Amino acid sequence: MFHFPLSSFVVFRLESSAKACAMAFLVLLMVGCSTPTDDAATQNATTPNESPASKSTSSLPLGLKPEYVGNEVCISCHQMLGERWRGSYHAKAMDFATPETVVGDFQNAQCTHGEEVARFFQKDGAFWAALDSPQTEYPIKYVIGFYPLQQYMVEFPDGRIQCLPYAWDVDGKKWYHLYPDEKIPVGDLLHWRQPAQNWNAVCASCHTTGLKRNFSFEKNAFHTTFVEMNVGCESCHGPGSLHVEMAKKRAEETQEAEVSPASRLRDPHYGFGFFTFEGADGPTATDACSTCHARRREIYPGFQPGAKFSDFYFPELLDTNAFYPDGQIREEVYEYSSFLQSKFYAIGGSCSDCHDRFIAKAPQTIVSGETKPPTVLEMCGKCHDPEIYDTPKHHFHNVAQSVEGTRCEDCHMPKTTYMGVDDRRDHAISIPRPQLTLDLEIPNACNRCHTNETPQWALDACQRWYGADSASGSCFIDARSKKKHFAYSIDAGRKGLPNAESGLIQVLQDETLPPIVCASAASLLETYSGAESKKALLHALSHKSELVRSMAARSLEGKFSTPEECVRTMAPLLRDPARCVRLEVVRLLIGLRLPPHEKTLYDAVLREYFTSLENLPEEPASHFNFGVYHERTGNLRAAEAAYRRALTLSPLYFPARNNLGMLLYAQQRKDEAEAQFREMTKRNPDRADGWYSLGLLISEETLRLPEAVECFQKAGELAPYRARIFYNLGVANWKIGRLDAALEALKRATTLEPQNPEFSSALQRLEALRQRESRGSEVE
């Protein structure tokens, strides 16, 4: 009765931790592949350079590879734009630590965090920090940012550049710890010398231009290079050598004063020689910004502006605690996933409709005499008549008393403070919903300001102003549809509630919702095994959004009755135009027998799959997924080596340890397997998987069943909605004679999965046994 899951080959996704990373999120590689651009077998798949969005703005011939030329070459022609850029956040994204760039106090200043007293000082003309226990002195080599905080980085001999846990508050003029309320020992995932705080892998791609991480696994070292130590011209426009070459050539060919330089430069074949925002549609323009302004996973190397975001990255969805269930920002997720939820994005809006691409949000005026940027009201007023919306009849706040609550952003783009002092606006541009606060404990903009009032007070006010059936006054997604807000289904699905399945299916199938919401529902349906879920996911494979198709493919893993059904259903999707979809499809097909007419395409996609994994050798997930590939194709020695490589990079990476334990168990190396599971419960005590796997292993020995029960109980506490855990807990208790406890656990399993015949059969047998005992019958 005790068994390991049929499929131990799972691509684990770490759920967002309550401890949001200070600099950025910990990038996890999601296995993926792309159809090669030079393979005849892939002619039906659209490549990034061939996408319609790219053709409208950057029609470079395939095979042409422009090179980076550097900011100064660009500014030599575009001097006015260069001056606007020089003082911006982008220009000061990163720099060497010098007296001109450091804004923090290094005059022997101190900062206390728990029992640690960090010290910041200067020595030998350089900036230093003394921290850790025992206290160690580290030279500061780089700075990141300049307002509202500045961070500092240390370079180690192996090329790793790590971000200090202390930052300088520019307005408050003080040092502070980025995790003020948490004790972070050396072995903790968020300790400043751990991979989560590694600049090379986590921060560098968004703070430099032309980055090459250059990690060597054999040497366990980085040799990272970049073209510019900032977010330069070519970060947003792509490498500029062709543009420069074209400009020089045209300057020689024509001197017509009446023709603008831009008109002279435009070429019918090459455009301007690189990506330009002028003429780009909203999604393409937004994608160019979102490689950095997104919490995302890199799934393929080589993104250049003008290409499609989802061919190279996959954004954070609403299926984790990074967002509140209604899509509001919770952890630091930047802007992209929020903006995808907005109606403004749906009608073609882009970042540059509201943001100046050159100066961003720089607090000082860059060019003398430059006019102030427009207010949010002025930008919103382009679509929303200020005479209707910028009045107390809409916002019901007294302008004479306070401006707070009268601005569009106060109610529709509430701010959350990250990294201690950095306020971020929510870009979903949503409606305040006090009812969700009452029902699901989701914040609302009203009570963010009126902290002395209750959510019920806010709801009563909204109902008086807008009506009981309005979006703000009810649980409806809008007043007309009378459909319950999707937050209820997302919340239930994230908790794994057994009654969440039908609601998630409705969200997945609702074409009026933003695709990122539907994709989140598809992702959460992964844990539900009902026939209706499978039917809905199969239908979603043809959804218009690649986000939805990708998550539908992933969630179908384990839902096919036979390998043949999986191949028949999924193999045609190797031709999907979106790389993030093909990425998931090839993963499901690994190790399965494909028909000859699909084999050539599969092999071509598989080559791209390997490229996607090899792109991030510093990530344990890359080696883990190589292990999954080798295990599915029967090379167990290579699989074991790959799992161990992942653990070498990060001993805390539980998916690799779990799969390694299962692999050892399958080879009857039970002592070694148990050691891995015990190490997993030691290093990751808050993960149910380790306790559950350990319980399964030791439950095979009758004398150790009481210990197995303890493991199952711990796993059940950590994953209270995983029915299989409670089934095994019930059976283990039954075997050692704890029939009341067994009955309770089996009832819980059956309640969670009422359609599972294995669970209901065990429960019926135990109930029959208890009835015979109560009548004094012999136990069979």
Side-chain angles (χ1 to χ4, degrees):
M1 285 190 178
F2 301 101
H3 57 84
F4 286 94
L6 290 177
S7 175
S8 63
F9 316 115
V10 183
V11 178
F12 283 83
R13 289 172 294 166
L14 288 179
E15 294 185 359
S16 303
S17 168
K19 304 175 180 179
C21 292
M23 282 294 302
F25 57 94
L26 176 61
V27 179
L28 294 177
L29 175 68
M30 183 170 68
V31 296
C33 61
S34 165
T35 308
T37 59
D38 58 351
D39 196 307
T42 65
Q43 57 186 340
N44 293 325
T46 304
T47 64
N49 280 338
E50 294 173 334
S51 68
S54 298
K55 285 184 176 180
S56 66
T57 53
S58 179
S59 51
L60 303 183
L62 293 178
L64 184 62
K65 187 177 180 181
E67 303 295 333
Y68 288 98
V69 298
N71 294 328
E72 294 309 314
V73 173
C74 303
I75 293 174
S76 65
C77 288
H78 303 280
Q79 295 179 11
M80 184 176 294
L81 295 178
E83 287 303 310
R84 291 172 64 191
W85 168 82
R86 286 188 192 277
S88 69
Y89 286 118
H90 285 163
K92 298 185 178 183
M94 180 179 168
D95 213 328
F96 286 109
T98 68
E100 293 73 31
T101 62
V102 170
V103 299
D105 180 3
F106 280 83
Q107 301 300 319
N108 208 32
Q110 294 185 346
C111 183
T112 301
H113 177 247
E115 298 178 356
E116 179 179 274
V117 179
R119 185 166 56 91
F120 306 91
F121 59 98
Q122 296 185 51
K123 182 174 67 173
D124 301 329
F127 298 90
W128 292 71
L131 62 157
D132 287 344
S133 181
Q135 194 171 77
T136 306
E137 296 182 351
Y138 300 96
I140 306 299
K141 186 168 184 178
Y142 300 104
V143 301
I144 280 189
F146 73 107
Y147 185 86
L149 71 151
Q150 187 173 70
Q151 289 186 272
Y152 304 89
M153 297 188 294
V154 173
E155 185 172 33
F156 290 89
D158 60 5
R160 282 178 167 81
I161 300 174
Q162 300 293 132
C163 303
L164 293 183
Y166 297 91
W168 177 255
D169 178 354
V170 177
D171 287 334
K173 300 186 184 308
K174 63 181 180 180
W175 290 98
Y176 70 100
H177 197 282
L178 291 165
Y179 301 97
D181 301 323
E182 300 180 53
K183 183 178 180 181
I184 304 177
V186 174
D188 191 282
L189 180 67
L190 292 184
H191 186 269
W192 74 277
R193 293 190 63 170
Q194 291 290 329
Q197 308 297 335
N198 173 247
W199 171 87
N200 312 72
V202 179
C203 317
S205 63
C206 292
H207 286 266
T208 64
T209 302
L211 176 78
K212 292 184 179 180
R213 286 180 291 262
N214 295 330
F215 176 77
S216 168
F217 180 84
E218 290 72 20
K219 297 179 180 179
N220 193 19
F222 284 95
H223 182 64
T224 301
T225 63
F226 41 81
V227 176
E228 298 284 354
M229 197 188 304
N230 50 46
V231 181
C233 311
E234 293 165 295
S235 287
C236 302
H237 295 282
S241 62
L242 178 61
H243 178 75
V244 172
E245 181 182 336
M246 292 170 59
K248 289 180 178 179
K249 183 177 180 181
R250 289 300 176 90
E252 296 170 357
E253 291 177 351
T254 178
Q255 298 294 328
E256 300 177 51
E258 69 276 10
V259 181
S260 69
S263 297
R264 292 202 305 269
L265 184 59
R266 187 186 294 274
D267 184 276
H269 302 292
Y270 297 98
F272 288 107
F274 62 2
F275 174 75
T276 60
F277 288 84
E278 290 71 19
D281 59 36
T284 305
T286 297
D287 283 358
C289 304
S290 297
T291 56
C292 288
H293 290 273
R295 181 158 164 170
R296 78 294 191 272
R297 299 183 293 271
E298 185 173 347
I299 60 175
Y300 202 77
F303 176 88
Q304 292 296 342
K308 196 170 182 61
F309 178 91
S310 59
D311 278 331
F312 299 88
Y313 302 95
F314 199 87
E316 186 84 1
L317 302 180
L318 315 186
D319 54 350
T320 73
N321 286 331
F323 294 89
Y324 289 100
D326 68 337
Q328 287 189 77
I329 57 176
R330 184 173 184 175
E331 295 182 1
E332 189 170 16
V333 291
Y334 311 101
E335 292 81 25
Y336 183 63
S337 292
S338 295
F339 190 46
L340 292 184
Q341 302 173 50
S342 71
K343 292 183 178 180
F344 185 54
Y345 177 82
I347 64 172
S350 71
C351 311
S352 54
D353 287 314
C354 299
H355 296 279
D356 188 310
R357 295 191 301 274
F358 298 97
I359 65 172
K361 299 183 295 182
Q364 73 269 27
T365 300
I366 309 303
V367 181
S368 177
E370 182 181 351
T371 58
K372 289 178 61 178
T375 64
V376 176
L377 173 61
E378 290 169 331
M379 291 184 286
C380 297
K382 296 176 183 178
C383 296
H384 302 276
D385 188 348
E387 293 186 5
I388 297 175
Y389 293 99
D390 186 30
T391 71
K393 290 183 179 180
H394 175 68
H395 55 64
F396 294 92
H397 285 69
N398 191 322
V399 181
Q401 291 181 353
S402 173
V403 71
E404 296 292 330
T406 68
R407 299 169 299 197
C408 307
E409 65 267 34
D410 291 335
C411 297
H412 301 290
M413 300 182 71
K415 62 185 179 183
T416 302
T417 302
Y418 298 103
M419 303 180 74
V421 297
D422 194 1
D423 293 339
R424 306 283 178 86
R425 292 284 180 185
D426 194 315
H427 279 62
I429 317 177
S430 57
I431 298 171
R433 301 175 188 272
Q435 185 67 59
L436 297 185
T437 309
L438 290 168
D439 295 344
L440 302 175
E441 299 182 350
I442 295 172
N444 69 82
C446 308
N447 290 116
R448 286 177 184 261
C449 287
H450 298 277
T451 56
N452 59 327
E453 302 290 355
T454 66
Q456 187 61 55
W457 169 88
L459 179 62
D460 292 342
C462 288
Q463 290 181 341
R464 286 197 309 271
W465 298 339
Y466 308 114
D469 288 342
S470 66
S472 289
S474 70
C475 63
F476 300 139
I477 188 68
D478 61 62
R480 292 162 296 180
S481 68
K482 301 294 192 217
K483 290 185 296 188
K484 211 168 185 179
H485 196 281
F486 63 78
Y488 293 92
S489 296
I490 297 294
D491 179 71
R494 280 169 25 176
K495 293 175 179 175
L497 299 180
N499 60 353
E501 186 175 14
S502 60
L504 290 172
I505 292 173
Q506 291 177 12
V507 172
L508 172 59
Q509 296 176 335
D510 191 342
E511 296 182 359
T512 67
L513 293 175
I516 190 171
V517 175
C518 300
S520 303
S523 175
L524 292 168
L525 282 170
E526 181 179 18
T527 59
Y528 294 90
S529 56
E532 290 303 312
S533 289
K534 179 180 177 181
K535 180 180 178 181
L537 291 168
L538 288 171
H539 184 265
L541 292 175
S542 60
H543 196 279
K544 61 183 179 181
S545 167
E546 67 271 16
L547 298 184
V548 179
R549 298 197 304 274
S550 176
M551 285 298 95
R554 164 174 285 203
S555 292
L556 280 166
E557 183 173 18
K559 291 182 169 59
F560 294 106
S561 57
T562 64
E564 290 75 18
E565 183 191 7
C566 179
V567 170
R568 187 168 60 251
T569 304
M570 304 306 295
L573 293 176
L574 290 169
R575 297 176 176 81
D576 194 286
R579 178 176 284 138
C580 65
V581 179
R582 301 193 301 269
L583 156 162
E584 293 293 349
V585 170
V586 75
R587 183 176 64 82
L588 295 183
L589 295 175
I590 289 173
L592 302 183
R593 186 184 299 275
L594 275 77
H597 68 279
E598 300 284 11
K599 190 65 168 58
T600 301
L601 177 59
Y602 170 81
D603 289 342
V605 172
L606 193 61
R607 289 195 294 273
E608 294 293 307
Y609 171 79
F610 291 151
T611 299
S612 72
L613 298 184
E614 292 164 354
N615 175 50
L616 293 172
E618 70 275 16
E619 289 292 340
S622 299
H623 302 278
F624 167 77
N625 286 316
F626 266 124
V628 171
Y629 168 79
H630 289 308
E631 192 167 356
R632 283 184 170 176
T633 54
N635 191 340
L636 303 188
R637 180 176 296 180
E640 180 178 344
Y643 294 145
R644 293 191 185 277
R645 286 197 300 271
L647 293 172
T648 298
L649 291 173
S650 177
L652 295 172
Y653 191 68
F654 75 90
R657 196 173 299 280
N658 195 58
N659 271 31
L660 176 59
M662 290 184 176
L663 179 65
L664 295 170
Y665 171 84
Q667 298 176 52
Q668 298 300 306
R669 297 157 65 183
K670 293 185 179 181
D671 290 344
E672 294 177 71
E674 181 175 341
Q676 292 297 330
F677 294 139
R678 289 199 178 279
E679 187 69 13
M680 188 173 171
T681 60
K682 177 182 176 181
R683 291 181 179 271
N684 307 94
D686 58 343
R687 305 295 309 193
D689 306 86
W691 296 103
Y692 180 54
S693 296
L694 179 60
L696 287 171
L697 188 149
I698 63 180
S699 64
E700 294 188 347
E701 300 180 34
T702 303
L703 295 178
R704 302 181 71 186
L705 279 171
E707 185 182 357
V709 166
E710 293 179 4
C711 292
F712 292 139
Q713 287 175 334
K714 183 66 175 178
E717 292 170 4
L718 294 169
Y721 301 107
R722 283 173 57 177
R724 178 65 63 176
I725 293 174
F726 292 97
Y727 168 74
N728 282 290
L729 174 60
V731 174
N733 273 311
W734 188 349
K735 284 199 168 187
I736 59 177
R738 299 176 184 174
L739 300 189
D740 290 340
L743 189 63
E744 180 182 354
L746 289 175
K747 284 182 178 179
R748 178 70 179 273
T750 305
T751 300
L752 291 171
E753 286 190 23
Q755 304 303 319
N756 191 311
E758 186 180 13
F759 299 171
S760 57
S761 175
L763 177 60
Q764 291 170 6
R765 294 200 311 274
L766 181 56
E767 287 178 332
L769 174 62
R770 297 293 282 160
Q771 289 176 2
R772 289 195 297 273
E773 283 187 341
S774 66
R775 294 194 302 265
S777 301
E778 292 184 6
V779 178
E780 296 182 2

